[in-house]
Amino acid sequence: MTRPVRASGILLHITSLPSAFGIGDMGPAAHAFARLLAGAGQTVWQFLPLAPTSTFIGNSPYSSPSAFAGNTLLISPERLAEEGFVSWADVDAGAEQFREAAHGSGGSHGSGGPVRFEAVEAHRRVLLRAAWERNRHQLAMDTAYLRFCRGNAHWLDDYARFTVLKDRFGGAAWTTWEEPFARRHPDALALLDVQEAAALDHVRFCQYLFFRQWYDLRAACTDLGVRLVGDVPIYVTHDSADVWANPGYFRLDAEFAPTHVAGVPPDYFSATGQRWGNPVYDWDALRRDGFAWWVRRVAHNLRMADIVRLDHFRGFAGYWEIPAAEETAINGRWVDAPGMELFGTLARRFTALPLIAEDLGVITAEVRELKATFALPGMKVLQFGFGGDPADNPDVPFRHDVRSVVYTGTHDNAPTRAWFEAAPAHERARVEEYVGHAIAPHEAPGVLLRLAMGSVAELAVAPVQDVLGLGAEARMNTPSVAAGNWAWRMTPDQMDPGLYAELGRLTRLFGR
């Protein structure tokens, strides 16, 4: 019997890296962080979805107009200039605002300070337009660009159309567009392809730049022995290229409005449950098509990362379906989903299924069976491990299993220092009893990091905030709070390798 491979890594979204241009990107700091990971003995870098975001929907990477496209805000201006796509004057135009506003020092990896999404969007829009104008006449002879367009045509062409039409109709939801475009009349789309050829190619070109930089970063991580862990939300946004291009895969009415939406039922944390609002899938339609859309989606993400985390995994076994007219999640119902068929199809399509099942919360026997059938590791979160009855708590350290991924916390949790400060007294006491000594709040991140490293779970992951011992000021996301999320960034001095020495020591100590 072979021993499981023990590994560890850090959770850090790309936007949270320092840079001189208002947001973390795929430039020098990303490559430096990959080297930092390798130097600290870490073999995993986990990040959040890389899909496009929008200030109109809270900048969440989990709410996107595309499940396939890349977020062009993450394109590195420096690398564009280094490769000759733009001039350094193009890069600097308007960039002084980010340096002036940054809270961190300059340094070789730029500045920190929270992401200023609106300013970043404006800067990237101008910069990418400059890149397009400089390169557009050579694209017909650029074999790499043409190969990218052919290989991604199954999503790229409709994403380009969706983006151009969104602009034409002033950002309005696709269901309100002129009927020939909302209903995708072939003649209307053919005319669009001719009339807006340049605008469509501009969108394709920006995606080409994103994926060019991403695969460069992925190759650098592979050379360093660092595996990338991506993230795939189970649902997609209604106002997206995915639903517009594939309405038959979703529960929609004759006017393309959702008949039912996704969410979770009332529980201890919410008397009315959570009404997410995403359209639910028409699983019968997906089944008739051999789950082709899901196969393409998983294949796409496995090209971008070595491992993929599936958010809300329990929805593949059964999901909470809410009539769209309901304002809360109270009057929903559980509906079975064909997870066994879907993952059976995926298992036949791929030689391996390097997936992580996000199985937090109340999990049923059907979910456990689905996970076990396809040998998918689940998640354990130590911040959840010290409440309730230890006999029924799957996150308490002594109940971990090898085939799992243990986290100190996730992007939805407060940093461990802040969690410990705000935790009920009995939970703090239980942590102290478990480790055998009193704990000051500033010591809590190190305590949970040590517990994660010592867990039997095959993979241990900590948000970088916990490695650095940061507090509430460094929180990435607060669920159910609409504003102020996703903006935290590291400062350049937090990239100092000396700050990760203890992480490297624990990695060696616990055989990771």
Side-chain angles (χ1 to χ4, degrees):
M1 182 176 178
T2 59
R3 294 175 59 188
V5 176
R6 289 170 63 76
S8 62
I10 289 178
L11 167 61
L12 174 73
H13 193 37
I14 309 301
T15 60
S16 295
L17 288 161
S19 82
F21 302 97
I23 192 171
D25 58 41
M26 299 179 286
H31 287 259
F33 187 74
R35 294 192 296 272
L36 188 156
L37 284 169
Q42 305 309 295
T43 55
V44 163
W45 180 356
Q46 182 169 340
F47 48 88
L48 307 184
L50 298 174
T53 58
S54 170
T55 54
F56 295 110
I57 48 178
N59 305 303
S60 171
Y62 293 90
S63 298
S64 176
S66 175
F68 292 84
N71 186 350
T72 55
L73 301 186
L74 307 184
I75 293 174
S76 164
E78 291 147 303
R79 291 184 72 85
L80 287 182
E82 289 166 358
E83 295 191 79
F85 287 106
V86 296
S87 69
W88 284 104
D90 292 328
V91 169
D92 288 336
E96 67 279 351
Q97 62 181 314
F98 304 125
R99 288 186 280 274
E100 292 169 358
H103 299 295
S105 59
S108 61
H109 304 307
S111 302
V115 178
R116 298 169 61 214
F117 285 101
E118 289 188 13
V120 171
E121 284 184 5
H123 178 260
R124 291 302 195 276
R125 189 181 306 115
V126 173
L127 182 64
L128 293 173
R129 174 58 62 177
W132 163 247
E133 295 298 341
R134 177 182 283 246
N135 295 275
R136 59 185 297 185
H137 300 297
Q138 290 79 43
L139 292 180
M141 297 176 289
D142 187 332
T143 56
Y145 169 74
L146 296 174
R147 185 166 56 248
F148 169 79
C149 290
R150 287 194 301 271
N152 293 277
H154 68 92
W155 66 266
L156 182 60
D157 290 347
D158 278 322
Y159 176 69
R161 291 168 179 149
F162 182 84
T163 303
V164 169
L165 287 168
K166 262 280 189 184
D167 186 60
R168 175 183 289 190
F169 293 111
W174 67 267
T175 52
T176 68
W177 296 348
E178 294 174 5
E179 182 174 336
F181 296 110
R183 295 185 177 274
R184 296 176 54 83
H185 292 179
D187 290 346
L189 296 183
L191 185 60
L192 179 76
D193 290 348
V194 173
Q195 292 179 336
E196 301 285 1
L200 294 167
D201 277 338
H202 172 58
V203 176
R204 294 186 185 98
F205 177 67
C206 292
Q207 288 299 305
Y208 167 68
L209 294 177
F210 172 90
F211 283 97
R212 180 187 176 96
Q213 290 193 3
W214 179 254
Y215 287 122
D216 281 349
L217 178 59
R218 182 156 164 37
C221 289
T222 298
D223 289 344
L224 291 165
V226 174
R227 292 178 294 165
L228 296 175
V229 177
D231 199 335
V232 170
I234 183 173
Y235 294 115
V236 298
T237 304
H238 178 239
D239 190 19
S240 67
D242 310 290
V243 181
W244 175 67
N246 305 282
Y249 290 155
F250 302 89
R251 299 280 301 280
L252 309 178
D253 63 21
E255 302 302 318
F256 299 121
T259 60
H260 297 79
V261 297
V264 290
D267 57 18
Y268 174 82
F269 300 100
S270 173
T272 59
Q274 296 179 40
R275 183 190 185 280
W276 298 335
N278 309 76
V280 297
Y281 294 105
D282 184 334
W283 283 109
D284 288 337
L286 286 161
R287 180 190 287 113
R288 287 193 297 271
D289 200 18
F291 302 105
W293 184 84
W294 267 105
V295 170
R296 289 192 295 268
R297 190 180 184 194
V298 170
H300 179 75
N301 280 276
L302 288 178
R303 284 191 295 271
M304 296 180 68
D306 300 281
I307 305 166
V308 171
R309 170 188 177 270
L310 296 176
D311 195 41
H312 194 60
F313 179 79
R314 74 140 303 141
F316 292 109
Y319 58 95
W320 190 249
E321 177 184 88
I322 307 161
E326 295 288 335
E327 295 184 359
T328 73
I330 292 176
N331 293 320
R333 65 178 186 128
W334 286 110
V335 180
D336 292 336
M340 285 292 184
E341 294 177 63
L342 170 62
F343 284 92
T345 299
L346 295 174
R348 290 188 293 275
R349 169 62 174 79
F350 303 102
T351 55
L353 288 181
L355 307 173
I356 296 170
E358 187 273 287
D359 57 345
L360 304 177
V362 179
I363 297 302
T364 64
E366 290 78 11
V367 179
R368 289 191 290 271
E369 181 184 8
L370 180 60
K371 226 179 33 158
T373 299
F374 297 97
L376 304 181
M379 289 175 55
K380 310 294 181 185
V381 179
L382 288 173
Q383 287 189 21
F384 299 153
F386 300 95
D389 183 351
D392 295 326
N393 188 337
D395 297 288
V396 69
F398 64 76
R399 299 195 70 224
H400 294 180
D401 53 270
V402 171
R403 192 67 174 145
S404 60
V405 183
V406 59
Y407 297 81
T408 54
T410 74
H411 65 276
D412 283 334
N413 295 98
T416 292
R417 178 173 180 166
W419 162 77
F420 192 78
E421 289 173 336
H426 70 274
E427 287 192 25
R428 296 197 304 272
R430 186 168 289 172
V431 178
E432 293 177 333
E433 186 176 14
Y434 195 90
V435 300
H437 59 81
I439 301 169
H442 74 274
E443 297 172 318
V447 168
L448 260 61
L449 185 58
R450 188 182 181 92
L451 288 175
M453 288 291 192
S455 169
V456 299
E458 60 188 2
L459 175 59
V461 177
V464 76
Q465 292 94 324
D466 289 350
V467 176
L468 296 171
L470 304 180
E473 77 285 350
R475 183 162 190 162
M476 188 63 168
N477 181 51
T478 303
S480 301
V481 174
N485 293 316
W486 316 111
W488 177 77
R489 275 203 302 160
M490 302 171 69
T491 57
D493 58 352
Q494 290 168 339
M495 297 274 285
D496 182 347
L499 299 175
Y500 301 80
E502 176 64 9
L503 178 66
R505 189 187 73 80
L506 290 174
T507 301
R508 296 187 296 273
L509 178 64
F510 289 106
R512 291 192 182 276

